[in-house]
Amino acid sequence: MRLNTLWSSMGAMSCGSLITYLTLRHFDGQPSSAFSSGGGDSMRELGSKDIGAWLHEWDQPKPVPQNVAERDESSALRHIILVRHGEYTKSSNGSHLTDLGRLQAERTGRRLREMGVAWDHVVASTMPRAQETAMIILKELNFDPLKMKRCTLLPEGTPYPGDPPQKRSVRSIDMSYQRDGPRIEAAFRRYFFRATPEQDHDSHLLIVGHANVIRYLILRALQLPPAAWTRLNLNHGSITWLTVWPNGYVTLRCMGDSGFMPVSELTYRRPAPAQLAVKSNGK
């Protein structure tokens, strides 16, 4: 029954072959040299192993004896759904959603409602564009905004030195990583783990955040080199679904799904001032 419900809720979600293609292409080469440096003990351990060798106790503070692990294992799944905020622009008043960004958030909220999921928790980045997106989505979901948690670990930043690198100086990237990397890694550790033995039902966590952070979380959860986050792309308002199984395995149900939006409303970059002027004059 549980699997039938899961696949039913996933019926409209588009799981393209992008992540499969990128993964296979990556397996043809060697792990990035940056992958094995920094990021904590689990990151160094992951970087030192052959790609494809799953670290079973990735979310455990210390190795658990097999007989104890089997006895205390929960049967519940943890579904983590990551949503990127809508299109936004920066001004003297801060970063806020554009009219299109608000429309994208509405469409994302409707799609999440169509899944028929009972949301256990909703968490959003503290940045205005994520907060605005989350509030629009919550209205579509009929979810009490007072129950939403605002997380200071989720704001946008540089999660890891990318490969290929961003179009910035090496010094700028390193400074940003030193500032943002530990915080974003802490976000991964806070939200990604298998169900505890006390959890007796499947859970659904909705996180509204940012492209860099979400791309990093995807790769960390799948135990793929985090330096590859710059090779992935996510549209505004897109949906990513990851599932943590009782045995610790993690599967990617879909990444960056935005097929529920008209092509004319798809965006992934902040609009240039000239584009905003054209949109404004077209009203």
Side-chain angles (χ1 to χ4, degrees):
M1 177 63 72
R2 181 177 66 190
L3 290 177
N4 289 337
T5 302
L6 172 62
W7 288 117
S8 175
S9 64
M10 284 298 297
M13 304 288 284
S14 60
C15 298
S17 59
L18 173 61
I19 189 65
T20 302
Y21 172 78
L22 289 172
T23 303
L24 291 175
R25 285 297 300 272
H26 179 76
F27 284 176
D28 288 338
Q30 296 297 320
S32 166
S33 59
F35 174 52
S36 59
S37 63
D41 294 339
S42 63
M43 291 292 288
R44 285 191 288 271
E45 184 180 0
L46 180 56
S48 66
K49 292 179 70 66
D50 294 334
I51 298 300
W54 187 261
L55 296 174
H56 292 275
E57 305 302 330
W58 59 274
D59 59 336
Q60 305 297 322
K62 58 183 179 180
V64 180
Q66 187 66 25
N67 60 336
V68 175
E70 290 178 353
R71 183 173 66 251
D72 294 341
E73 185 177 285
S74 171
S75 61
L77 305 177
R78 293 193 68 249
H79 300 289
I80 304 169
I81 292 79
L82 305 160
V83 170
R84 187 188 180 191
H85 58 76
E87 182 191 65
Y88 73 103
T89 184
K90 289 185 176 180
S91 68
S92 58
N93 296 323
S95 300
H96 298 280
L97 296 183
T98 63
D99 290 341
L100 177 56
R102 286 186 284 273
L103 178 58
Q104 291 167 338
E106 289 178 7
R107 294 194 184 281
T108 301
R110 292 171 196 161
R111 173 49 60 98
L112 293 172
R113 186 182 66 217
E114 290 170 357
M115 293 182 190
V117 167
W119 300 100
D120 296 271
H121 302 284
V122 177
V123 181
S125 158
T126 53
M127 299 187 81
R129 56 186 184 267
Q131 290 286 308
E132 293 171 5
T133 300
M135 295 305 290
I136 294 172
I137 288 175
L138 294 185
K139 184 177 180 180
E140 294 292 332
L141 296 178
N142 195 28
F143 189 96
D144 185 355
L146 296 178
K147 294 182 178 180
M148 182 184 76
K149 295 182 179 179
R150 293 162 175 80
C151 181
T152 57
L153 299 178
L154 292 173
E156 186 64 301
T158 300
Y160 205 85
D163 182 12
Q166 298 168 280
K167 295 181 179 179
R168 298 158 54 191
S169 69
V170 173
R171 182 174 182 274
S172 174
I173 292 175
D174 183 63
M175 291 179 62
S176 297
Y177 168 57
Q178 296 299 327
R179 179 193 65 212
D180 303 328
R183 168 178 58 80
I184 298 173
E185 170 64 17
F188 171 79
R189 293 169 182 263
R190 173 175 291 185
Y191 297 113
F192 284 81
F193 52 88
R194 73 195 73 187
T196 62
E198 295 78 20
Q199 182 174 326
D200 57 3
H201 68 281
D202 294 353
S203 63
H204 295 82
L205 167 65
L206 175 62
I207 297 177
V208 181
H210 308 270
N212 294 1
V213 176
I214 293 174
R215 288 181 285 179
Y216 175 81
L217 294 177
I218 292 170
L219 294 172
R220 276 290 277 122
L222 297 177
Q223 298 189 8
L224 295 173
W229 70 268
T230 53
R231 307 177 196 183
L232 308 179
N233 186 63
L234 299 172
N235 286 333
H236 290 124
S238 61
I239 299 171
T240 295
W241 186 326
L242 289 152
T243 298
V244 183
W245 294 77
N247 60 7
Y249 284 122
V250 180
T251 52
L252 179 65
R253 299 293 184 180
C254 70
M255 187 190 79
D257 177 45
S258 55
F260 49 89
M261 296 188 193
V263 174
S264 60
E265 296 175 7
L266 295 177
T267 59
Y268 68 94
R269 300 180 66 178
R270 182 159 50 92
Q275 292 177 300
L276 289 175
V278 170
K279 291 179 181 179
S280 178
N281 293 333
K283 289 183 179 180

